[in-house]
């Protein structure tokens, strides 16, 4: 191996990954001009129009320019299907290609962390951090802040069909609310989105680009991290490949991994931290036998149910009309409104899969469109999609190395629907969706279920569970592969201050640290973790 080329000497902090967490960390740690910060991103710059027009996710997901193009292993719970597993390949990370939905989850998610003994992670602890980051269109309140970097706005398009779905949900018993982010998200509401005047507001736009002129912050793109360097039990730097060269930098303070639940776990394993036997078998020198690295993978599996309709407008027919497309483009160009501002889902519902649940445990994403999968064209007939996911899945998967080559994509096995409880919730979720669609507010549009189809009986539990395996797909929320836990937890990877257990000078600050998945979209919780993690890093620096 050729000698690594240093980059301008030493840094106080080296951050690996300029995604949702990394952009926040770079902003906060470089605010002190005495801290020298290096931010390494394996992807590229966000200099492509579809990173900024909201509907661009249709073109970014599944595109090697913007997506790492990961795939899962064939999943037994999905009847042998393997799924595409999108992850953002650009500064801003997945916040540059995601649904733009601002969702904190439920207060009980965070109070559960506190109950696990993770001091400082309860709802009352983290709410001030959420408020600090945000600039919310609803204004200043006990729940929301104004003036923060993370802009949140109301959607800028309306659909009669979605209004009808919301009314049908109310007829079923799901009450309309005006905000999902006050600690209890049960109800129906139009999603609040990370946009500014009709443009996507990624973590790079909100947190990183405004501070790029700081002389103590250096950002490098196209950097494929190969390993963390160690001196004994202390992390001392990072080695990566860039433009065909091996490069290295030294960290006098800390190395911080913020490459997400796939990337951070992969880099820990490549660096010799993980299940010792697995690393040994791949020829990787074991720095620390930590069996939890890559384990505890959790994700939200969405069951995409599609209904043909008549007598109401959907995006499908507009998409296939030249006049319709021209009108959409003109509306966006002149007013920054209309379908080009659409998040992948506009209407959300949180409810219980059965009345015995203590809190809402399923989430609906409702869309006035339908397609086979992201990257495919919309269907030619008018239709809507109602996707429903289990918010608190019991199934656990893993991320493992395929080889010792950092460029080799890892093995990703979410193990969806392997828990009996998850199959029960999936079957009940389909029943709830059908019950909502059966309400008078939607029946006037004569909905016909095409996926999974009425040949799957609501009375047949086994058939419903199989159908869930046939139609289920990721909703892009992987978490948990570097689990936060107490020192006595054999599967814990980081402690409550996000420090890798058994190693000095190394933290993991991103969604992989979540011990359990939050009850909703995971981008906002990830950025809160980064906010709290930055405070911890700076507090420990001053000790």
């Amino acid at each position: 191996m050729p000698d690594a080329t240093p980059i301008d000497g030493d840094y106080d902090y080296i951050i690996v990954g300029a995604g949702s967490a990394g952009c926040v960390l770079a902003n906060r740690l470089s605010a002190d001009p005495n801290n020298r910060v290096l931010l390494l991103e394996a992807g590229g710059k966000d200099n492509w129009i579809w990173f900024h027009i909201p509907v661009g996710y249709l073109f970014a997901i599944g595109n090697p320019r913007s997506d790492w193009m990961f795939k899962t292993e064939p999943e037994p719970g999905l009847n042998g299907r393997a799924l595409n597993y999108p992850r953002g390949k650009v500064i801003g990370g997945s916040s540059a290609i995601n649904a733009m939905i601002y969702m904190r989850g439920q207060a009980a998610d965070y109070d559960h962390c506190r109950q696990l003994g993770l001091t400082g992670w309860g709802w009352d602890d983290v709410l001030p951090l959420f408020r600090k980051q945000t600039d919310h269109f609803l204004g200043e309140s006990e729940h929301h802040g104004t003036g923060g970097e993370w802009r949140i706005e109301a959607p800028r398009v309306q659909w009669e069909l979605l209004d009808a779905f919301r009314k049908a949900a109310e007829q079923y018993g799901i009450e309309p609310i005006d905000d999902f982010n006050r600690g209890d998200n049960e109800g129906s509401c139009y999603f609040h989105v990370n946009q500014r005047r009709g443009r996507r507001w990624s973590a790079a736009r909100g947190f990183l680009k405004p501070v790029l002129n700081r002389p103590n912050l250096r950002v490098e793109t196209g950097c494929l991290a190969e390993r963390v360097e160690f001196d004994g039990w202390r992390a001392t730097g990072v080695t990566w490949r860039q433009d065909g060269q091996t490069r290295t930098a030294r960290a006098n303070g800390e190395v911080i991994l913020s490459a997400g639940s796939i990337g951070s776990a992969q880099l820990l394993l490549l660096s010799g931290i993980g299940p010792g036997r697995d690393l040994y078998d791949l020829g990787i020198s074991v720095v620390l036998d930590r069996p939890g690295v890559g384990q505890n993978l959790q994700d939200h599996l969405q069951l995409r149910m599609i209904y043909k309709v008549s007598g109401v407008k959907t995006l499908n027919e507009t998409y296939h009309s030249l006049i319709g497309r021209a009108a959409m483009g003109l509306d966006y160009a002149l007013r920054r409104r209309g379908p080009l501002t659409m998040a992948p889902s506009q209407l959300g519902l949180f409810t219980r899969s059965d009345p015995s649940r203590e809190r809402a445990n399923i989430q609906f994403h409702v869309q006035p469109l339908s397609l086979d999968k992201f990257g495919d064209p919309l269907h030619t007939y008018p239709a809507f999609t109602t996707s429903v996911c289990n918010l608190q899945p019991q199934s656990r998967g893993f991320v493992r190395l395929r080889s010792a080559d950092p460029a080799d994509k890892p093995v990703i096995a979410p193990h969806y629907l392997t828990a009996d409880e998850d199959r029960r919730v999936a079957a009940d979720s389909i029943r709830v969706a059908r019950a909502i669609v059966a309400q008078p507010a939607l029946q006037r549009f004569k909905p016909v279920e095409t996926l999974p189809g009425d040949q799957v009986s609501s009375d047949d539990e086994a058939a419903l569970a199989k159908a869930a395996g046939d139609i289920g797909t990721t909703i892009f929320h992987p978490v948990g592969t570097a689990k936060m836990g107490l020192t006595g937890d054999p599967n814990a990877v980081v402690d409550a201050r996000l420090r890798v257990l058994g190693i000095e000078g190394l933290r993991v600050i991103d969604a992989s640290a979540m011990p359990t998945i939050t009850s909703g979209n995971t981008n906002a919780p990830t950025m809160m973790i980064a906010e709290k993690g930055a405070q911890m890093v700076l507090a420990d620096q001053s000790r």
Side-chain angles (χ1 to χ4, degrees):
M1 180 182 295
D3 292 337
T5 305
I7 282 194
D8 293 348
D10 298 354
Y11 292 83
D12 296 292
Y13 301 109
I14 301 177
I15 304 166
V16 181
S20 296
C23 289
V24 174
L25 288 163
N27 180 301
R28 300 301 192 237
L29 297 182
S30 66
D32 182 343
N34 294 317
N35 290 334
R36 200 154 184 256
V37 179
L38 174 63
L39 177 62
L40 302 174
E41 167 56 39
K45 298 178 180 178
D46 62 347
N47 53 357
W48 185 38
I49 188 172
W50 294 119
F51 287 133
H52 305 292
I53 296 178
V55 81
Y57 68 88
L58 287 171
F59 309 101
I61 292 175
N63 187 323
R65 174 174 183 166
S66 47
D67 181 354
W68 284 106
M69 307 290 288
F70 293 135
K71 289 184 74 74
T72 71
E73 298 301 291
E75 286 281 297
L78 303 185
N79 305 321
R81 292 186 300 127
L83 300 180
N84 294 329
Y85 217 64
R87 296 283 87 197
K89 186 181 178 183
V90 61
I91 59 168
S94 293
S95 78
I97 67 171
N98 72 356
M100 297 165 283
I101 292 171
Y102 185 77
M103 183 68 59
R104 296 170 178 172
Q106 298 168 358
D109 300 328
Y110 302 94
D111 290 342
H112 174 67
C113 290
R114 184 182 60 203
Q115 292 158 9
L116 293 175
L118 300 170
T119 302
W121 291 95
W123 175 250
D124 290 341
D125 300 308
V126 303
L127 181 57
L129 303 172
F130 281 120
R131 291 186 71 256
K132 175 184 177 181
Q133 289 183 330
T134 53
D135 183 22
H136 205 288
F137 77 99
L138 289 176
E140 189 81 20
S141 71
E142 64 176 304
H143 302 289
H144 299 300
T146 55
E149 296 90 347
W150 200 222
R151 179 62 182 168
I152 302 156
E153 296 189 348
R156 299 169 72 90
V157 63
Q158 290 182 303
W159 296 90
E160 179 187 2
L161 178 59
L162 297 186
D163 291 339
F165 197 103
R166 194 180 190 198
K167 182 62 178 178
E170 185 177 10
Q171 292 169 341
Y172 170 76
I174 302 172
E175 294 297 320
I177 60 175
D178 62 0
D179 186 0
F180 280 137
N181 290 297
R182 293 173 179 158
D184 178 4
N185 52 19
E186 191 161 6
S188 74
C189 184
Y190 287 97
F191 289 122
H192 300 164
V193 293
N194 293 118
Q195 295 181 11
R196 184 179 291 278
R197 294 187 291 275
R199 298 189 72 200
R200 176 187 288 272
W201 196 250
S202 71
R205 290 191 69 199
F207 289 89
L208 184 60
K209 289 187 175 182
V211 300
L212 284 177
N213 62 345
R214 290 177 179 170
N216 61 324
L217 172 63
R218 178 163 184 167
V219 180
E220 293 284 332
T221 57
C223 303
L224 181 64
E226 295 187 332
R227 63 185 179 276
V228 177
E229 301 292 349
F230 299 96
D231 182 1
W233 302 108
R234 181 171 186 83
T236 57
V238 178
T239 295
W240 68 93
R241 294 284 294 178
Q242 184 181 26
D243 298 327
Q245 290 187 315
T246 300
R247 311 190 77 173
T248 188
R250 182 177 176 83
N252 292 324
E254 297 190 34
V255 174
I256 302 170
L257 307 189
S258 60
S261 290
I262 308 304
S264 289
Q266 182 183 23
L267 186 55
L268 284 171
L269 294 168
L270 288 167
S271 304
I273 299 175
R277 173 54 61 182
D278 292 352
L279 298 178
Y280 178 82
D281 289 345
L282 291 173
I284 296 173
S285 297
V286 178
V287 174
L288 181 67
D289 185 0
R290 179 61 63 184
V293 175
Q295 301 300 309
N296 193 49
L297 174 62
Q298 299 155 61
D299 190 12
H300 289 141
L301 180 74
Q302 63 173 336
L303 310 181
R304 297 180 61 251
M305 301 177 65
I306 296 175
Y307 289 85
K308 288 185 178 180
V309 290
S310 58
V312 67
K313 182 181 179 181
T314 77
L315 187 60
N316 286 9
E317 57 269 32
T318 305
Y319 175 85
H320 288 286
S321 162
L322 291 178
I323 295 175
R325 287 194 189 189
M328 287 193 297
L330 189 63
D331 195 14
Y332 186 78
L334 296 178
R335 304 194 307 146
R336 289 291 187 265
R337 291 189 176 273
L340 293 188
T341 69
M342 282 172 55
S345 300
Q346 296 79 53
L347 177 64
L349 284 73
F350 288 81
T351 189
R352 307 173 196 220
S353 60
D354 69 76
S356 69
R357 302 286 165 174
E358 293 183 0
R359 54 187 170 121
N361 71 311
I362 57 174
Q363 176 184 6
F364 284 82
H365 291 76
V366 191
Q367 309 156 300
L369 57 87
S370 64
L371 69 169
D372 291 330
K373 64 179 185 299
F374 284 113
D376 287 358
L378 303 186
H379 293 148
T380 56
Y381 49 82
F384 70 87
T385 303
T386 177
S387 294
V388 57
C389 70
N390 179 357
L391 293 170
Q392 297 132 24
Q394 302 302 305
S395 301
R396 298 290 185 268
F398 61 79
V399 174
R400 292 178 184 163
L401 295 180
R402 199 172 300 277
S403 74
D405 182 356
D408 206 355
K409 294 177 180 176
V411 176
I412 303 172
H415 286 175
Y416 299 115
L417 299 177
T418 53
D420 291 341
E421 171 73 4
D422 291 354
R423 290 192 292 275
R424 282 192 293 272
V425 171
D428 286 340
S429 298
I430 294 174
R431 293 187 182 106
V432 172
R434 287 174 167 176
I436 294 172
V437 174
Q439 300 302 313
L442 277 171
Q443 281 301 301
R444 61 193 175 102
F445 301 131
K446 300 178 176 59
V448 176
E449 184 177 302
T450 64
L451 195 70
D454 57 13
Q455 73 276 7
V456 180
S457 171
S458 291
D459 296 326
D460 190 334
E461 188 85 6
L464 289 172
K466 181 182 183 302
D470 288 335
I471 66 175
T473 187
T474 177
I475 205 164
F476 323 133
H477 298 163
V479 309
T481 53
K483 174 186 175 182
M484 191 192 320
L486 304 180
T487 54
D489 180 351
N491 287 318
V493 178
V494 300
D495 65 12
R497 298 189 70 79
L498 305 174
R499 300 171 295 199
V500 174
L501 293 163
I503 297 289
E504 295 181 10
L506 180 63
R507 300 196 204 219
V508 180
I509 304 180
D510 58 26
S512 59
M514 292 186 193
T516 52
I517 196 166
T518 52
S519 298
N521 308 71
T522 53
N523 193 60
T526 298
M527 299 177 77
M528 179 279 295
I529 290 170
E531 189 75 52
K532 188 171 182 66
Q535 290 183 357
M536 290 173 166
V537 170
L538 294 172
D540 290 347
Q541 175 192 51
S542 63
R543 289 179 180 176

